[in-house]
């Protein structure tokens, strides 16, 4: 329900730009104190054309699918520069939401690995949600050169919503969750503790 409310308000006010991902929601505890399996955290974001252009220029990815062409800005011009009607957000930029979640909730966290599968494209100005869900935990005891904490494996997803019509009632419009990016991450959470079952 929270996601649906966010999507609707964002669509109604597309000009409002969410500049960062500092509103993280979910059950994953701050600083990882009392972390347990099944906990999650999510962050909502709208990537603007300015975000995508800056990222593309910064990393040197000037693929035309990420930039508006003259054809999209002026429909009277026909060009083969871009094969899409609207620019697409870089998959790696979408995936940065996972690091943002951990870096905000557990300062000092260190990414160890991340797998990614790109399932569906995301156009600029479309609301997305990045979510991490805890699937495995291992306590790390402090050693001479390494502090303690928790090694956390997570399922990672970025998804968007698409309006669909219910088959039973043509007027009943619902929102369908579409997975755009999925994978798994392993993150070291220094100072985190695993919850003890009561």
């Amino acid at each position: 329900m929270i996601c649906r409310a966010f999507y609707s308000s964002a669509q109604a006010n597309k000009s409002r730009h969410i500049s960062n991902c500092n509103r993280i929601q979910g059950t994953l505890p701050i600083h990882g104190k009392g972390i347990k399996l099944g906990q999650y955290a999510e962050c909502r974001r709208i990537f603007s054309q300015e975000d995508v252009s800056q990222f593309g220029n910064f990393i040197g990815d000037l693929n035309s699918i990420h930039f508006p062409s003259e054809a999209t800005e002026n429909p009277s011009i026909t060009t083969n520069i871009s094969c899409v009607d609207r620019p697409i957000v870089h998959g790696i930029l979408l995936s940065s939401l996972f690091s943002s979640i951990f870096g905000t909730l557990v300062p000092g966290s260190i990414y160890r690995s991340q797998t990614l599968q790109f399932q569906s494209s995301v156009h600029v100005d479309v609301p997305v949600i990045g979510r991490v869900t805890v699937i495995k935990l291992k306590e790390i005891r402090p050693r001479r050169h390494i502090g303690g904490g928790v090694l956390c494996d997570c399922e990672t997803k970025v998804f968007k919503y698409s309006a669909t019509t219910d088959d039973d009632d043509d007027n009943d419009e619902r929102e369908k969750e579409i997975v755009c990016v999925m994978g798994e991450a392993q993150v070291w959470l220094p100072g985190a503790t695993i919850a003890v079952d009561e």
Side-chain angles (χ1 to χ4, degrees):
M1 299 302 172
I2 294 170
C3 301
R4 181 175 292 157
F6 167 78
Y7 181 80
S8 300
S9 65
Q11 286 297 83
N13 190 5
K14 277 189 173 183
S15 62
R16 188 174 135 231
H17 173 68
I18 300 173
S19 61
N20 60 38
C21 191
N22 60 3
R23 291 184 356 165
I24 296 173
Q25 298 176 336
T27 57
L28 202 65
I30 295 175
H31 301 293
K33 303 291 186 186
I35 192 170
K36 59 184 177 181
L37 296 178
Q39 289 179 329
Y40 77 96
E42 63 185 29
C43 139
R44 295 145 176 77
R45 176 80 193 243
I46 298 172
F47 289 97
S48 69
Q49 183 59 59
E50 182 180 2
D51 294 331
V52 172
S53 295
Q54 286 180 355
F55 183 77
N57 284 313
F58 182 72
I59 67 168
D61 181 352
L62 305 178
N63 187 336
S64 62
I65 65 171
H66 303 302
F67 296 90
S69 68
E70 288 186 49
T72 58
E73 293 172 358
N74 184 352
S76 65
I77 298 174
T78 304
T79 178
N80 291 328
I81 293 174
S82 179
C83 60
V84 295
D85 59 347
R86 290 185 308 164
I88 294 174
V89 179
H90 299 78
I92 294 298
L93 182 55
L94 290 169
S95 304
S96 70
L97 293 176
F98 309 137
S99 178
S100 176
I101 290 169
F102 281 112
T104 301
L105 281 179
V106 186
S109 59
I110 298 174
Y111 242 80
R112 294 179 44 114
S113 66
Q114 172 76 58
T115 63
L116 297 170
Q117 293 178 353
F118 302 102
Q119 304 285 316
S120 180
S121 60
V122 174
H123 292 100
V124 296
D125 298 326
V126 171
V128 293
I129 297 170
R131 180 182 294 153
V132 299
T133 305
V134 178
I135 58 173
K136 183 178 175 185
L137 295 168
K138 179 182 176 185
E139 184 178 358
I140 298 180
R141 302 214 181 269
R143 291 185 234 160
R144 190 158 76 156
H145 299 290
I146 301 173
V150 173
L151 199 57
C152 176
D153 287 14
C154 289
E155 175 186 74
T156 57
K157 287 184 181 178
V158 174
F159 56 93
K160 62 185 176 182
Y161 284 99
S162 173
T164 61
T165 304
D166 193 347
D167 293 336
D168 298 333
D169 183 3
D170 291 338
N171 296 327
D172 187 15
E173 195 172 276
R174 299 180 186 268
E175 291 174 349
K176 177 184 173 188
E177 183 179 295
I178 299 172
V179 176
C180 306
V181 181
M182 64 185 299
E184 289 188 9
Q186 185 177 80
V187 185
W188 174 38
L189 309 175
T193 57
I194 297 174
V196 178
D197 292 332
E198 296 178 12

